[in-house]
């Protein structure tokens, strides 16, 4: 992965040593948070960057220490954190609470909070009210909303009000009840519509654009056509950045993974093993031992 030009080591929590791999990562700033201007400048230099989801302070602090420059508090929390079947039930209160936790767990990453279903569809005024909560109460540095032309008025008002917006096209999970889970943008008509939406989002002031489940060739064309960075998830290698749901890439999510997911660890198996070992030691009377006991 091409790294951001960097002259400093990312800040890490007290008591931790920065590893060689975390030195000079993605953004080159250790004395402040990454900003939307840093990400647009990276696009101009042809430098790629990673984004991961996060839903709590502890996990966010790990990714912040690793140098991940952007953390998305996604409405994916509905599936992988709150136990919902889809993202649709996620509320603005839930998003605000967990976004605040992620912000508290970080010192460097740009934290982007999703606007959940029902918090912006009524129009620009509702979108501004919802986004203002995430900025004022949670402390996020930007918000994300789904839709291109259908969300342009919301995007324009948020940007005019000083709230950076990341747009989301392709598969938009909040619309799962109408579009299902399938690749978007296949065929000339759908491809032209998506490209038109992408340019409209950019013109409305969005600083970045998520492309989810989009053919790689179309995602590459969108990326070439825009001056703002594209963030791919199941959209091929030519996007300016890549994002994954962290429970997927860490091997915590059970069941079969989508084709676009690469699992970098198997934390679920490790956690199951550790929990079983702890349980067996408690039942067998071998925990706690003397070194775990006060007198």
């Amino acid at each position: 992965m091409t790294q951001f030009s960097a002259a400093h080591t990312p800040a890490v929590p007290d008591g931790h040593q920065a590893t060689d791999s975390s030195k000079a990562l993605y953004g080159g700033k250790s004395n402040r948070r990454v900003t939307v201007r840093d990400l647009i400048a990276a696009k101009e230099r042809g430098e790629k960057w990673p984004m991961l989801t996060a839903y709590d302070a502890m996990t966010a602090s790990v990714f912040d220490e690793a140098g991940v420059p952007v953390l998305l508090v996604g409405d994916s929390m509905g599936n992988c954190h709150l136990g919902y079947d889809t993202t649709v039930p996620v509320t603005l209160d839930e998003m605000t609470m967990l976004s605040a936790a992620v912000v508290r767990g970080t010192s460097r990453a740009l934290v982007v909070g999703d606007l959940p279903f029902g918090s912006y569809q009524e129009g620009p005024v509702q979108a501004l009210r919802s986004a203002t909560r995430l900025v004022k109460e949670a402390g996020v540095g930007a918000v994300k909303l789904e839709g291109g032309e259908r969300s342009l008025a919301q995007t324009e008002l948020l940007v005019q009000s000083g709230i950076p917006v990341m747009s989301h096209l392709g598969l938009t999970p909040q619309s799962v009840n109408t579009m299902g889970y399938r690749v978007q943008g296949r065929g000339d008509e759908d491809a032209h519509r998506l490209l038109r939406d992408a340019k409209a989002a950019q013109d409305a002031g969005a600083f970045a654009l998520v492309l989810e489940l989009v053919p790689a060739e179309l995602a590459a064309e969108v990326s070439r056509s825009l001056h703002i960075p594209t963030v791919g998830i199941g959209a091929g290698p030519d996007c300016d950045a890549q994002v994954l749901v962290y429970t997927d890439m860490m091997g915590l999510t059970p069941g079969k993974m989508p084709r676009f997911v690469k699992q970098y660890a198997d934390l679920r198996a490790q956690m199951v093993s550790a929990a079983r070992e702890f349980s067996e030691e408690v039942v067998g009377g071998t925990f706690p031992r003397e070194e775990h006991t006060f007198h």
Side-chain angles (χ1 to χ4, degrees), residues 276-289:
R276 284 175 175 165
E277 184 177 357
F278 163 71
S279 300
E280 291 167 359
E281 289 190 0
V282 170
V283 171
T286 59
F287 177 83
R289 293 191 174 97

Side-chain angles (χ1 to χ4, degrees), residues 80-214:
C80 61
H81 195 73
L82 299 177
Y84 300 139
D85 291 333
T86 70
T87 67
V88 173
V90 174
T91 67
L92 185 59
D93 285 341
E94 291 166 336
M95 182 62 65
T96 302
M97 179 181 67
L98 298 189
S99 295
V102 171
V103 171
R104 289 193 294 267
T106 58
S107 62
R108 181 174 173 278
L110 171 66
V111 179
V112 180
D114 249 336
L115 289 179
F117 179 74
S119 69
Y120 63 95
Q121 281 84 356
E122 289 181 13
V125 174
Q126 185 199 30
L128 180 58
R129 187 183 305 116
S130 300
T132 299
R133 280 198 63 190
L134 288 181
V135 172
K136 288 178 66 70
E137 297 178 28
V140 302
V143 300
K144 183 174 76 65
L145 53 78
E146 295 182 358
E149 292 184 339
R150 62 186 169 90
S151 299
L152 291 188
Q154 289 92 323
T155 299
E156 288 175 345
L157 181 58
L158 294 185
V159 173
Q160 291 169 6
S161 302
I163 301 176
V165 174
M166 176 180 286
S167 293
H168 185 154
L169 296 178
L171 173 67
T172 47
Q174 292 175 12
S175 302
V176 62
N177 290 327
T178 58
M179 68 170 51
Y181 288 103
R182 60 186 180 86
V183 175
Q184 303 294 311
R186 283 180 167 157
D188 289 344
E189 182 178 350
D190 288 345
H192 287 310
R193 182 184 302 113
L194 191 145
L195 183 57
R196 186 170 61 249
D197 276 343
K199 292 180 177 178
Q202 175 180 263
D203 292 343
F207 75 89
L209 177 67
V210 172
L211 295 173
E212 182 169 357
L213 277 190
V214 172

